[in-house]
């Protein structure tokens, strides 16, 4: 269904806690086998190294090739991230695993990039210090960073660092999903009165206001949806005329000011 509405990127990950690369890889393979119009080069396959594999990155990437039906001898995966800089106890599949370190994992990713197995490298969930350190030790600086960014959590220092260095910033949970976790347990984005007023002014939805806001800041968005009407609505983001036709300077300034405005008490 996403294909019928123009989407071409698969934001996968090795982490079985949250993703299913095997199911996504099988679905993509099915499409490629049965479609004459969509080819491998038309899609963008992404995966993320689970932090339990920081000390065995090549094994992780070989596993991704298997999941995505890629041939180690002749194919490449489009983008691979280090999912987390460390294997924290809160990550279920980290329990009892050896602790690798992200700096040696990055070197291993660089080698796979040089060998042509990976076309672009990225990191996810690195904090500002770790990103700065990465820049100082990398011989291939990261091409992409994927971080939690929503109107109340705009991660501007991390975003500016990356955009200033010519990288691509991808926001995850841009519609506020991360706030459903403790300590807030609710999504403050979709119900925000200011965002609702801006959406009404432009005869669109809060979701599209937020997603357009980030695209206008040169931040890529990867909204997840299982609902066909939302998928159709989100496909408007592929139209630059739509993206540039809503939100005026006062709307942008008002959304800028939401950053950090969440009371957790
Ligand atoms: N790197 C990481 O550590 C990390 C962490 C979390 C997520 N991610 C990635 O980021 C992607 C997106 O983040 P996310 O899943 O946390 O949350 P999200 O995309 O911010 O929000 C998803 C929610 O928004 C709803 N939605 C989507 N489009 C909508 C629309 N037009 N109108 C109204 N509601 C809409 C969806 O509901 P419906 O299904 O009803 O449309 C879903 O409940 C994920 O798919 C994942 O690949 C990465």
């Amino acid at each position: 269904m996403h294909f019928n509405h123009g989407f071409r990127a698969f934001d996968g990950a090795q982490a079985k806690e949250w993703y299913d690369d095997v199911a996504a890889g099988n679905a993509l393979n099915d499409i490629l086998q049965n479609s004459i119009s969509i080819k491998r080069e038309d899609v963008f396959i992404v995966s993320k190294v689970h932090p339990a594999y920081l000390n065995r990155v090549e094994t992780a990437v070989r596993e991704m090739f298997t999941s995505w039906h890629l041939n180690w001898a002749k194919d490449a995966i489009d983008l691979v991230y280090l999912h987390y800089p460390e294997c924290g106890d809160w990550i279920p599949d980290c329990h009892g695993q050896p602790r690798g370190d992200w700096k040696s994992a990055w070197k291993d990713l660089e080698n796979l990039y040089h060998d042509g197995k990976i076309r672009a490298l990225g990191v996810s969930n690195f904090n500002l210090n770790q990103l700065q350190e990465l820049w100082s030790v990398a011989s291939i600086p990261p091409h992409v960073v994927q971080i939690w960014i929503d109107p109340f959590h705009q991660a501007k220092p991390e975003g500016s660092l990356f955009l200033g260095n010519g990288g691509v910033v991808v926001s995850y949970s841009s519609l506020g999903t991360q706030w459903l976790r403790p300590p807030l347990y609710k999504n403050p984005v979709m119900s925000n009165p200011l965002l609702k007023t801006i959406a009404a002014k432009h005869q669109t939805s809060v979701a599209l206001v937020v997603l357009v806001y980030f695209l206008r800041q040169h931040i890529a968005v990867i909204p997840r949806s299982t609902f066909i009407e939302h998928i159709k609505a989100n496909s408007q983001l592929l139209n630059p005329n739509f993206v540039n036709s809503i939100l005026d300077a006062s709307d942008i300034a008002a959304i800028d000011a939401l950053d950090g405005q969440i009371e957790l008490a």
Side-chain angles (χ1 to χ4, degrees), residues 12-141:
Q14 215 191 352
K16 296 180 179 56
E17 296 95 323
W18 306 292
Y19 295 80
D20 193 340
D21 261 7
V22 172
N26 287 343
L28 173 61
N29 190 47
D30 219 32
I31 292 166
L32 295 178
Q33 297 294 321
N34 293 303
S35 165
I36 42 165
S37 57
I38 299 170
K39 304 203 168 24
R40 163 67 185 98
E41 56 270 27
D42 298 326
V43 300
F44 195 80
I45 301 176
V46 180
S47 193
K48 308 183 187 87
V49 174
H50 191 285
Y53 283 72
L54 286 174
N55 57 355
R56 43 195 169 125
V57 168
E58 183 175 324
T59 305
V61 175
R62 282 183 182 272
E63 199 175 280
M64 291 167 194
F65 269 62
T66 304
S67 301
W68 290 95
H69 298 259
L70 298 173
N71 181 322
W72 189 255
K74 54 182 186 191
D75 289 331
I77 187 163
D78 296 296
L79 167 62
V80 174
Y81 295 97
L82 295 182
H83 202 155
Y84 286 92
E86 62 212 355
C87 217
D89 277 334
W90 62 276
I91 300 174
D93 283 355
C94 281
H95 295 287
Q97 294 293 332
R99 303 292 152 114
D101 84 280
W102 65 259
K103 286 180 200 152
S104 65
W106 187 260
K107 292 279 163 232
D108 294 341
L109 277 186
E110 289 179 335
N111 289 336
L112 290 162
Y113 176 87
H114 283 307
D115 290 348
K117 304 295 178 207
I118 306 175
R119 295 201 175 101
L121 306 181
V123 290
S124 186
N125 300 302
F126 275 45
N127 65 31
L128 188 59
N129 288 342
Q130 290 161 332
L131 289 175
Q132 284 165 330
E133 216 181 334
L134 174 57
W135 245 288
S136 68
V137 298
S139 50
I140 301 172

Side-chain angles (χ1 to χ4, degrees), residues 11 19 83 124-125 146 173-175 177 224-226 230 234:
D11 185 62
Y19 295 80
H83 202 155
S124 186
N125 300 302
Q146 186 177 122
S173 300
S174 19
L175 299 179
T177 317
R224 168 177 59 85
S225 180
T226 51
H230 291 164
N234 295 348

